[in-house]
PDB file of all heavy atoms in Angstrom:
ATOM      1  N   MET A   1     -94.104 116.568 100.558  1.00 45.00           N
ATOM      2  CA  MET A   1     -94.309 117.396 101.757  1.00 45.00           C
ATOM      3  C   MET A   1     -95.251 116.688 102.725  1.00 45.00           C
ATOM      4  O   MET A   1     -96.166 115.993 102.335  1.00 45.00           O
ATOM      5  CB  MET A   1     -94.914 118.744 101.362  1.00 45.00           C
ATOM      6  CG  MET A   1     -93.921 119.708 100.745  1.00 45.00           C
ATOM      7  SD  MET A   1     -92.422 119.918 101.718  1.00 45.00           S
ATOM      8  CE  MET A   1     -93.017 120.933 103.059  1.00 45.00           C
ATOM      9  N   THR A   2     -95.008 116.909 103.987  1.00 60.00           N
ATOM     10  CA  THR A   2     -95.830 116.216 104.977  1.00 60.00           C
ATOM     11  C   THR A   2     -95.904 117.028 106.262  1.00 60.00           C
ATOM     12  O   THR A   2     -95.084 117.888 106.502  1.00 60.00           O
ATOM     13  CB  THR A   2     -95.218 114.849 105.291  1.00 60.00           C
ATOM     14  OG1 THR A   2     -96.002 114.236 106.297  1.00 60.00           O
ATOM     15  CG2 THR A   2     -93.804 114.966 105.826  1.00 60.00           C
ATOM     16  N   ASP A   3     -96.913 116.691 107.053  1.00 80.00           N
ATOM     17  CA  ASP A   3     -97.029 117.348 108.353  1.00 80.00           C
ATOM     18  C   ASP A   3     -96.815 116.341 109.465  1.00 80.00           C
ATOM     19  O   ASP A   3     -97.284 116.539 110.574  1.00 80.00           O
ATOM     20  CB  ASP A   3     -98.434 117.941 108.538  1.00 80.00           C
ATOM     21  CG  ASP A   3     -98.854 118.761 107.355  1.00 80.00           C
ATOM     22  OD1 ASP A   3     -98.009 119.522 106.868  1.00 80.00           O
ATOM     23  OD2 ASP A   3    -100.011 118.634 106.923  1.00 80.00           O
ATOM     24  N   LEU A   4     -96.157 115.243 109.182  1.00 91.00           N
ATOM     25  CA  LEU A   4     -96.012 114.223 110.223  1.00 91.00           C
ATOM     26  C   LEU A   4     -95.176 114.749 111.385  1.00 91.00           C
ATOM     27  O   LEU A   4     -93.996 115.041 111.228  1.00 91.00           O
ATOM     28  CB  LEU A   4     -95.370 112.948 109.664  1.00 91.00           C
ATOM     29  CG  LEU A   4     -96.186 112.179 108.635  1.00 91.00           C
ATOM     30  CD1 LEU A   4     -95.446 110.916 108.224  1.00 91.00           C
ATOM     31  CD2 LEU A   4     -97.569 111.842 109.168  1.00 91.00           C
ATOM     32  N   VAL A   5     -95.842 114.847 112.519  1.00 93.00           N
ATOM     33  CA  VAL A   5     -95.187 115.377 113.715  1.00 93.00           C
ATOM     34  C   VAL A   5     -94.872 114.209 114.645  1.00 93.00           C
ATOM     35  O   VAL A   5     -95.709 113.325 114.828  1.00 93.00           O
ATOM     36  CB  VAL A   5     -96.154 116.353 114.438  1.00 93.00           C
ATOM     37  CG1 VAL A   5     -95.560 116.848 115.751  1.00 93.00           C
ATOM     38  CG2 VAL A   5     -96.533 117.502 113.538  1.00 93.00           C
ATOM     39  N   VAL A   6     -93.675 114.208 115.208  1.00 95.00           N
ATOM     40  CA  VAL A   6     -93.352 113.183 116.209  1.00 95.00           C
ATOM     41  C   VAL A   6     -93.746 113.761 117.569  1.00 95.00           C
ATOM     42  O   VAL A   6     -93.411 114.901 117.875  1.00 95.00           O
ATOM     43  CB  VAL A   6     -91.856 112.824 116.175  1.00 95.00           C
ATOM     44  CG1 VAL A   6     -91.532 111.748 117.199  1.00 95.00           C
ATOM     45  CG2 VAL A   6     -91.458 112.371 114.774  1.00 95.00           C
ATOM     46  N   ARG A   7     -94.476 112.985 118.333  1.00 96.00           N
ATOM     47  CA  ARG A   7     -94.981 113.499 119.616  1.00 96.00           C
ATOM     48  C   ARG A   7     -94.517 112.636 120.774  1.00 96.00           C
ATOM     49  O   ARG A   7     -94.602 111.412 120.686  1.00 96.00           O
ATOM     50  CB  ARG A   7     -96.519 113.532 119.602  1.00 96.00           C
ATOM     51  CG  ARG A   7     -97.078 114.351 118.468  1.00 96.00           C
ATOM     52  CD  ARG A   7     -98.586 114.223 118.371  1.00 96.00           C
ATOM     53  NE  ARG A   7     -99.091 115.009 117.257  1.00 96.00           N
ATOM     54  CZ  ARG A   7     -99.204 114.543 116.006  1.00 96.00           C
ATOM     55  NH1 ARG A   7     -98.869 113.309 115.722  1.00 96.00           N
ATOM     56  NH2 ARG A   7     -99.660 115.335 115.048  1.00 96.00           N
ATOM     57  N   ARG A   8     -94.061 113.302 121.814  1.00 94.00           N
ATOM     58  CA  ARG A   8     -93.718 112.548 123.025  1.00 94.00           C
ATOM     59  C   ARG A   8     -94.960 112.508 123.899  1.00 94.00           C
ATOM     60  O   ARG A   8     -95.528 113.552 124.232  1.00 94.00           O
ATOM     61  CB  ARG A   8     -92.557 113.190 123.763  1.00 94.00           C
ATOM     62  CG  ARG A   8     -92.087 112.302 124.912  1.00 94.00           C
ATOM     63  CD  ARG A   8     -90.924 112.877 125.695  1.00 94.00           C
ATOM     64  NE  ARG A   8     -89.793 113.226 124.848  1.00 94.00           N
ATOM     65  CZ  ARG A   8     -89.276 114.444 124.779  1.00 94.00           C
ATOM     66  NH1 ARG A   8     -89.787 115.428 125.487  1.00 94.00           N
ATOM     67  NH2 ARG A   8     -88.244 114.688 124.007  1.00 94.00           N
ATOM     68  N   LEU A   9     -95.348 111.303 124.244  1.00 95.00           N
ATOM     69  CA  LEU A   9     -96.584 111.131 125.007  1.00 95.00           C
ATOM     70  C   LEU A   9     -96.329 111.372 126.489  1.00 95.00           C
ATOM     71  O   LEU A   9     -95.374 110.823 127.054  1.00 95.00           O
ATOM     72  CB  LEU A   9     -97.075 109.695 124.773  1.00 95.00           C
ATOM     73  CG  LEU A   9     -98.536 109.396 125.024  1.00 95.00           C
ATOM     74  CD1 LEU A   9     -99.442 110.336 124.251  1.00 95.00           C
ATOM     75  CD2 LEU A   9     -98.826 107.948 124.655  1.00 95.00           C
ATOM     76  N   LEU A  10     -97.182 112.199 127.089  1.00 95.00           N
ATOM     77  CA  LEU A  10     -96.969 112.561 128.497  1.00 95.00           C
ATOM     78  C   LEU A  10     -97.825 111.690 129.410  1.00 95.00           C
ATOM     79  O   LEU A  10     -98.754 112.175 130.046  1.00 95.00           O
ATOM     80  CB  LEU A  10     -97.301 114.045 128.705  1.00 95.00           C
ATOM     81  CG  LEU A  10     -96.567 115.020 127.780  1.00 95.00           C
ATOM     82  CD1 LEU A  10     -97.101 116.430 127.937  1.00 95.00           C
ATOM     83  CD2 LEU A  10     -95.062 114.986 128.070  1.00 95.00           C
ATOM     84  N   ILE A  11     -97.539 110.399 129.407  1.00 96.00           N
ATOM     85  CA  ILE A  11     -98.311 109.524 130.304  1.00 96.00           C
ATOM     86  C   ILE A  11     -97.365 108.656 131.114  1.00 96.00           C
ATOM     87  O   ILE A  11     -96.239 108.391 130.707  1.00 96.00           O
ATOM     88  CB  ILE A  11     -99.309 108.616 129.541  1.00 96.00           C
ATOM     89  CG1 ILE A  11     -98.567 107.726 128.536  1.00 96.00           C
ATOM     90  CG2 ILE A  11    -100.392 109.430 128.862  1.00 96.00           C
ATOM     91  CD1 ILE A  11     -99.411 106.581 128.009  1.00 96.00           C
ATOM     92  N   ASP A  12     -97.891 108.215 132.245  1.00 96.00           N
ATOM     93  CA  ASP A  12     -97.104 107.348 133.121  1.00 96.00           C
ATOM     94  C   ASP A  12     -97.260 105.898 132.671  1.00 96.00           C
ATOM     95  O   ASP A  12     -98.380 105.377 132.613  1.00 96.00           O
ATOM     96  CB  ASP A  12     -97.625 107.532 134.563  1.00 96.00           C
ATOM     97  CG  ASP A  12     -97.283 106.350 135.461  1.00 96.00           C
ATOM     98  OD1 ASP A  12     -96.194 105.779 135.297  1.00 96.00           O
ATOM     99  OD2 ASP A  12     -98.125 106.020 136.332  1.00 96.00           O
ATOM    100  N   LEU A  13     -96.139 105.267 132.318  1.00 96.00           N
ATOM    101  CA  LEU A  13     -96.219 103.849 131.967  1.00 96.00           C
ATOM    102  C   LEU A  13     -95.385 102.988 132.910  1.00 96.00           C
ATOM    103  O   LEU A  13     -95.063 101.854 132.621  1.00 96.00           O
ATOM    104  CB  LEU A  13     -95.808 103.626 130.514  1.00 96.00           C
ATOM    105  CG  LEU A  13     -96.940 103.915 129.512  1.00 96.00           C
ATOM    106  CD1 LEU A  13     -96.427 103.987 128.101  1.00 96.00           C
ATOM    107  CD2 LEU A  13     -98.064 102.886 129.610  1.00 96.00           C
ATOM    108  N   GLU A  14     -95.041 103.611 134.047  1.00 96.00           N
ATOM    109  CA  GLU A  14     -94.278 102.890 135.062  1.00 96.00           C
ATOM    110  C   GLU A  14     -95.212 102.113 135.995  1.00 96.00           C
ATOM    111  O   GLU A  14     -94.946 100.973 136.360  1.00 96.00           O
ATOM    112  CB  GLU A  14     -93.457 103.879 135.920  1.00 96.00           C
ATOM    113  CG  GLU A  14     -92.369 104.630 135.149  1.00 96.00           C
ATOM    114  CD  GLU A  14     -91.298 103.694 134.615  1.00 96.00           C
ATOM    115  OE1 GLU A  14     -90.882 102.789 135.367  1.00 96.00           O
ATOM    116  OE2 GLU A  14     -90.897 103.865 133.447  1.00 96.00           O
ATOM    117  N   THR A  15     -96.301 102.773 136.368  1.00 97.00           N
ATOM    118  CA  THR A  15     -97.233 102.159 137.315  1.00 97.00           C
ATOM    119  C   THR A  15     -97.945 100.975 136.663  1.00 97.00           C
ATOM    120  O   THR A  15     -98.469 101.110 135.554  1.00 97.00           O
ATOM    121  CB  THR A  15     -98.291 103.212 137.752  1.00 97.00           C
ATOM    122  OG1 THR A  15     -97.583 104.412 138.115  1.00 97.00           O
ATOM    123  CG2 THR A  15     -99.130 102.738 138.915  1.00 97.00           C
ATOM    124  N   PRO A  16     -97.960  99.841 137.347  1.00 98.00           N
ATOM    125  CA  PRO A  16     -98.662  98.682 136.769  1.00 98.00           C
ATOM    126  C   PRO A  16    -100.151  98.953 136.588  1.00 98.00           C
ATOM    127  O   PRO A  16    -100.710  99.853 137.217  1.00 98.00           O
ATOM    128  CB  PRO A  16     -98.470  97.585 137.836  1.00 98.00           C
ATOM    129  CG  PRO A  16     -97.367  98.045 138.707  1.00 98.00           C
ATOM    130  CD  PRO A  16     -97.355  99.544 138.650  1.00 98.00           C
ATOM    131  N   PHE A  17    -100.763  98.189 135.698  1.00 98.00           N
ATOM    132  CA  PHE A  17    -102.216  98.343 135.488  1.00 98.00           C
ATOM    133  C   PHE A  17    -102.894  96.988 135.651  1.00 98.00           C
ATOM    134  O   PHE A  17    -102.228  95.941 135.688  1.00 98.00           O
ATOM    135  CB  PHE A  17    -102.511  98.961 134.115  1.00 98.00           C
ATOM    136  CG  PHE A  17    -101.760  98.322 132.970  1.00 98.00           C
ATOM    137  CD1 PHE A  17    -102.220  97.155 132.384  1.00 98.00           C
ATOM    138  CD2 PHE A  17    -100.580  98.894 132.490  1.00 98.00           C
ATOM    139  CE1 PHE A  17    -101.520  96.563 131.334  1.00 98.00           C
ATOM    140  CE2 PHE A  17     -99.873  98.301 131.444  1.00 98.00           C
ATOM    141  CZ  PHE A  17    -100.345  97.129 130.863  1.00 98.00           C
ATOM    142  N   ASP A  18    -104.186  97.053 135.742  1.00 97.00           N
ATOM    143  CA  ASP A  18    -105.008  95.876 135.974  1.00 97.00           C
ATOM    144  C   ASP A  18    -104.911  94.871 134.819  1.00 97.00           C
ATOM    145  O   ASP A  18    -104.734  95.265 133.669  1.00 97.00           O
ATOM    146  CB  ASP A  18    -106.455  96.365 136.101  1.00 97.00           C
ATOM    147  CG  ASP A  18    -107.318  95.356 136.795  1.00 97.00           C
ATOM    148  OD1 ASP A  18    -107.102  95.138 137.995  1.00 97.00           O
ATOM    149  OD2 ASP A  18    -108.181  94.770 136.100  1.00 97.00           O
ATOM    150  N   ARG A  19    -105.065  93.586 135.120  1.00 97.00           N
ATOM    151  CA  ARG A  19    -105.056  92.577 134.046  1.00 97.00           C
ATOM    152  C   ARG A  19    -106.154  92.855 133.028  1.00 97.00           C
ATOM    153  O   ARG A  19    -105.951  92.734 131.833  1.00 97.00           O
ATOM    154  CB  ARG A  19    -105.313  91.187 134.631  1.00 97.00           C
ATOM    155  CG  ARG A  19    -104.203  90.674 135.508  1.00 97.00           C
ATOM    156  CD  ARG A  19    -104.682  89.409 136.202  1.00 97.00           C
ATOM    157  NE  ARG A  19    -104.605  88.256 135.297  1.00 97.00           N
ATOM    158  CZ  ARG A  19    -103.527  87.506 135.156  1.00 97.00           C
ATOM    159  NH1 ARG A  19    -102.435  87.793 135.831  1.00 97.00           N
ATOM    160  NH2 ARG A  19    -103.509  86.471 134.348  1.00 97.00           N
ATOM    161  N   HIS A  20    -107.323  93.191 133.526  1.00 98.00           N
ATOM    162  CA  HIS A  20    -108.440  93.506 132.625  1.00 98.00           C
ATOM    163  C   HIS A  20    -108.586  95.016 132.524  1.00 98.00           C
ATOM    164  O   HIS A  20    -109.622  95.585 132.835  1.00 98.00           O
ATOM    165  CB  HIS A  20    -109.735  92.849 133.132  1.00 98.00           C
ATOM    166  CG  HIS A  20    -109.609  91.364 133.217  1.00 98.00           C
ATOM    167  ND1 HIS A  20    -110.427  90.593 133.984  1.00 98.00           N
ATOM    168  CD2 HIS A  20    -108.733  90.508 132.621  1.00 98.00           C
ATOM    169  CE1 HIS A  20    -110.066  89.308 133.852  1.00 98.00           C
ATOM    170  NE2 HIS A  20    -109.034  89.243 133.031  1.00 98.00           N
ATOM    171  N   TRP A  21    -107.482  95.615 132.084  1.00 98.00           N
ATOM    172  CA  TRP A  21    -107.383  97.081 132.075  1.00 98.00           C
ATOM    173  C   TRP A  21    -108.419  97.722 131.146  1.00 98.00           C
ATOM    174  O   TRP A  21    -108.783  98.882 131.339  1.00 98.00           O
ATOM    175  CB  TRP A  21    -105.968  97.508 131.664  1.00 98.00           C
ATOM    176  CG  TRP A  21    -105.598  97.035 130.291  1.00 98.00           C
ATOM    177  CD1 TRP A  21    -104.923  95.892 129.982  1.00 98.00           C
ATOM    178  CD2 TRP A  21    -105.919  97.657 129.053  1.00 98.00           C
ATOM    179  NE1 TRP A  21    -104.797  95.768 128.623  1.00 98.00           N
ATOM    180  CE2 TRP A  21    -105.404  96.835 128.029  1.00 98.00           C
ATOM    181  CE3 TRP A  21    -106.588  98.835 128.693  1.00 98.00           C
ATOM    182  CZ2 TRP A  21    -105.545  97.147 126.680  1.00 98.00           C
ATOM    183  CZ3 TRP A  21    -106.729  99.149 127.352  1.00 98.00           C
ATOM    184  CH2 TRP A  21    -106.216  98.310 126.358  1.00 98.00           C
ATOM    185  N   CYS A  22    -108.872  96.991 130.133  1.00 97.00           N
ATOM    186  CA  CYS A  22    -109.811  97.604 129.179  1.00 97.00           C
ATOM    187  C   CYS A  22    -111.237  97.510 129.717  1.00 97.00           C
ATOM    188  O   CYS A  22    -111.982  96.569 129.397  1.00 97.00           O
ATOM    189  CB  CYS A  22    -109.691  96.933 127.812  1.00 97.00           C
ATOM    190  SG  CYS A  22    -110.658  97.812 126.565  1.00 97.00           S
TER     191      CYS A  22
END
Side-chain angles (χ1 to χ4, degrees):
M1 284 309 286
T2 177
D3 311 317
L4 294 182
V5 175
V6 181
R7 303 173 181 88
R8 188 180 306 122
L9 201 54
L10 306 172
I11 59 166
D12 158 36
L13 278 167
E14 295 296 317
T15 312
F17 48 82
D18 200 68
R19 292 171 79 88
H20 300 160
W21 61 266
C22 188

